[in-house]
Amino acid sequence: MKTLVWDVDDVLNNLMSDWYEHRWRRENSRSTLGYNQISENPPNRVLGISMEAYLESLDAFRRSDGRSLEPDLEVLRWFEKQGHRFRHVALTAVPIEFADISAAWVMRNFGKWIRSFHVIPSRSTDSTQDPYDKTKAEFLVRWGRADLVIDDNNAIIESVREIPLEAILWPRPWNQNKLLTRMNALESITQLP
Ligand SMILES: [Mg+2]
C-alpha cells in the first residue's frame, strides 16, 4: 500500500476561503476582491494589510472557528471512495499553539483513514532550542516512508521534489498549478498503482 502525506490547511480543508469569507469580508465589507484573486499566500500584500494584521486575524479565526471548519467535500468524497486503498499521514506546518486544534480536527473528520498526524511548528522563535525537524522536507527525509506528498505550498512542493519524492501541488489561486483542477489532482492520485 502506498503512503500518502496530506497537508491539512487548504488541502483537507478550505481555511483561506473560510477565513476570507467568514471573517475578512465581514470585517472589511468594502473589499471587492474575490477569493480567486488571492494570488499570494500569505495574502497580506494582495489585501493591502500588514503581515502582523493578517496573522492576527487568521489566529483569531483559528481560535474561534478552527474546530468547526468544514472538510473539503471533494476530498472527503474521494476518501470515502478511495481512501482504503492507501495509508495516509497528515503533515501540517502550524503554530504549535494551534496544533491540538488541527490534530483533533484531522482525527474527527478524516480519522477513518488518516491515522498519523505530524506537526512542524511554524513561526517558532527559539529554534536553537528545538532539536526537531524544521521543515516538512527534513521530516520526510528522516521518516523515509512517504510515496506521495500533497500540498498547496509551492516552496514545499519544490523542496519535496528535490528529495526526490513524488508530489502534487494542490491547485489553489495562489500557486502555479492553474491547469490542474482539484478533481484532476484527485483523479491522478486514484490512478496510482
Ligand atoms: Mg496548506
Side-chain angles (χ1 to χ4, degrees):
M1 248 188 208
K2 294 227 158 133
T3 300
L4 311 184
V5 177
W6 297 85
D7 178 26
V8 176
D9 292 330
D10 293 305
V11 175
L12 298 181
N13 63 31
N14 296 295
L15 176 68
M16 177 74 85
S17 115
D18 287 352
W19 166 79
Y20 186 69
E21 298 296 343
H22 300 138
R23 181 161 289 252
W24 177 258
R25 284 255 255 223
R26 272 183 204 173
E27 290 171 358
N28 300 273
S29 50
R30 277 178 301 175
S31 170
T32 54
L33 208 70
Y35 163 73
N36 282 322
Q37 290 166 285
I38 301 181
S39 54
E40 293 177 15
N41 189 2
N44 50 296
R45 267 193 353 177
V46 185
L47 299 175
I49 56 173
S50 69
M51 181 69 130
E52 291 70 30
Y54 163 64
L55 292 177
E56 202 173 292
S57 176
L58 184 67
D59 287 358
F61 182 68
R62 281 192 194 274
R63 255 177 234 113
S64 61
D65 294 56
R67 288 171 185 81
S68 57
L69 288 178
E70 292 292 329
D72 181 89
L73 272 186
E74 272 179 76
V75 174
L76 187 60
R77 297 280 168 271
W78 182 90
F79 269 91
E80 284 164 352
K81 288 198 192 108
Q82 305 289 340
H84 66 280
R85 295 179 45 221
F86 306 93
R87 291 182 194 280
H88 307 274
V89 174
L91 174 58
T92 187
V94 74
I96 198 74
E97 67 172 298
F98 300 118
D100 62 325
I101 296 177
S102 182
W105 186 89
V106 169
M107 291 306 145
R108 195 167 57 251
N109 290 285
F110 291 92
K112 188 174 172 189
W113 309 278
I114 299 180
R115 299 292 167 89
S116 304
F117 176 91
H118 191 88
V119 62
I120 304 293
S122 62
R123 290 190 246 153
S124 57
T125 44
D126 195 5
S127 59
T128 53
Q129 296 302 309
D130 183 348
Y132 308 115
D133 306 313
K134 306 288 186 294
T135 64
K136 289 187 176 184
E138 267 182 59
F139 165 77
L140 290 164
V141 168
R142 184 179 55 74
W143 182 54
R145 295 191 182 273
D147 292 303
L148 175 71
V149 178
I150 302 130
D151 203 295
D152 65 291
N153 182 304
N154 265 329
I156 287 170
I157 290 299
E158 278 170 26
S159 68
V160 166
R161 285 179 176 150
E162 273 171 24
I163 291 176
L165 265 177
E166 295 256 353
I168 290 182
L169 179 60
W170 193 246
R172 288 293 185 184
W174 50 85
N175 66 39
Q176 267 83 69
N177 199 349
K178 301 275 190 311
L179 296 173
L180 198 64
T181 64
R182 285 183 293 158
M183 212 52 147
N184 289 339
L186 289 169
E187 189 52 37
S188 68
I189 302 170
T190 304
Q191 301 302 329
L192 285 178

